[in-house]
Amino acid sequence: MFELISSGGWLMIPIIGCSILSLAICMERLWELRAKKVAPPDLMQNVWGWLKSGAMTAERMKELRASSPLGRVVVAGLNNARHGREIMKESIQEAASEVIHDMERFLTTLGTIAAITPLLGLLGTVIGMIKVFTEIMIQGTGNASVLAGGISEALITTASGLAVAIPTLIFHRYFQRKVDSLVVEMEQQAVKLVEVVHGERTVESGK
């Protein structure tokens, strides 16, 4: 493996660095974007129960806010419920914007890695072919081992760049779709919350 990497030339260093960074981001996002962590299934049921019984205390709201991104959105709405429906909706939207920004953390970096690693591989290809033609100019076409070395360097960097870019692009698209799905779920719960608080929906139907 080391010989394969070293034969790819110095451009293998940034390609390997991109692969390590991509793996770290994917692992972190897989952990942070779990549905039960972002929008726990029992969270709204607990909220409905506390609202119905009048047990929504300041301490519970503090715990709710710290529990999950959905909890942050819910608490933002409840804190401004007394100011009317529109103010409550605006506060929910503001909190949701912050939550979405946090959920999309590192996705731009992941997309950048997916875009630049094939270009790094292509650059390696160009450099390798330049070496091949330089050796042809100096030694002619008689030294096959020198020519094979330059071509090998070109092919290894290209393959490595694609090997990093393809799974990175797949995970980037997956995480984007995951964020979109979670946002839709939180929006639905936020709408129910507004309607329950302002008497347009019963707590039972809000479950």
Side-chain angles (χ1 to χ4, degrees):
M1 176 62 78
F2 178 76
E3 292 180 359
L4 184 65
I5 293 173
S6 61
S7 63
W10 65 269
L11 275 169
M12 290 297 293
I13 296 174
I15 291 175
I16 293 173
C18 286
S19 69
I20 294 172
L21 182 58
S22 174
L23 179 61
I25 292 174
C26 288
M27 297 297 292
E28 191 270 346
R29 289 292 87 188
L30 283 171
W31 179 258
E32 291 296 327
L33 293 180
R34 292 171 297 155
K36 64 179 181 180
K37 181 178 177 65
V38 176
D42 60 341
L43 185 145
M44 293 308 298
Q45 184 176 356
N46 292 335
V47 171
W48 305 138
W50 294 332
L51 289 175
K52 186 177 181 180
S53 62
M56 183 63 79
T57 62
E59 184 64 27
R60 277 183 173 159
M61 289 182 69
K62 183 178 179 181
E63 293 175 358
L64 184 63
R65 189 181 191 283
S67 66
S68 65
L70 178 58
R72 288 169 56 186
V73 174
V74 169
V75 170
L78 292 175
N79 282 336
N80 292 276
R82 64 183 181 276
H83 299 301
R85 177 187 175 91
E86 292 305 315
I87 298 299
M88 184 179 181
K89 288 178 64 177
E90 288 179 7
S91 63
I92 287 175
Q93 290 171 354
E94 291 174 359
S97 296
E98 296 178 2
V99 167
I100 293 169
H101 181 268
D102 290 342
M103 290 168 62
E104 292 178 339
R105 182 181 300 167
F106 304 131
L107 294 192
T108 299
T109 303
L110 204 62
T112 302
I113 292 173
I116 67 172
T117 45
L119 298 179
L120 290 172
L122 179 61
L123 180 58
T125 300
V126 173
I127 292 174
M129 296 310 295
I130 289 173
K131 289 182 179 179
V132 170
F133 286 110
T134 301
E135 292 300 324
I136 290 175
M137 291 174 61
I138 296 173
Q139 303 183 28
T141 58
N143 193 339
S145 62
V146 173
L147 301 181
I151 295 173
S152 174
E153 179 178 337
L155 295 177
I156 288 172
T157 53
T158 300
S160 299
L162 292 174
V164 174
I166 292 171
T168 300
L169 180 60
I170 291 172
F171 274 105
H172 181 255
R173 295 290 176 84
Y174 168 76
F175 290 134
Q176 283 186 322
R177 179 61 180 170
K178 183 75 170 179
V179 169
D180 290 342
S181 299
L182 292 170
V183 169
V184 169
E185 173 65 21
M186 288 192 293
E187 286 177 348
Q188 291 174 346
Q189 298 297 342
V191 169
K192 290 180 182 179
L193 177 68
V194 173
E195 293 176 350
V196 168
V197 170
H198 290 280
E200 298 168 6
R201 181 194 292 254
T202 62
V203 172
E204 288 74 10
S205 62
K207 292 182 181 181

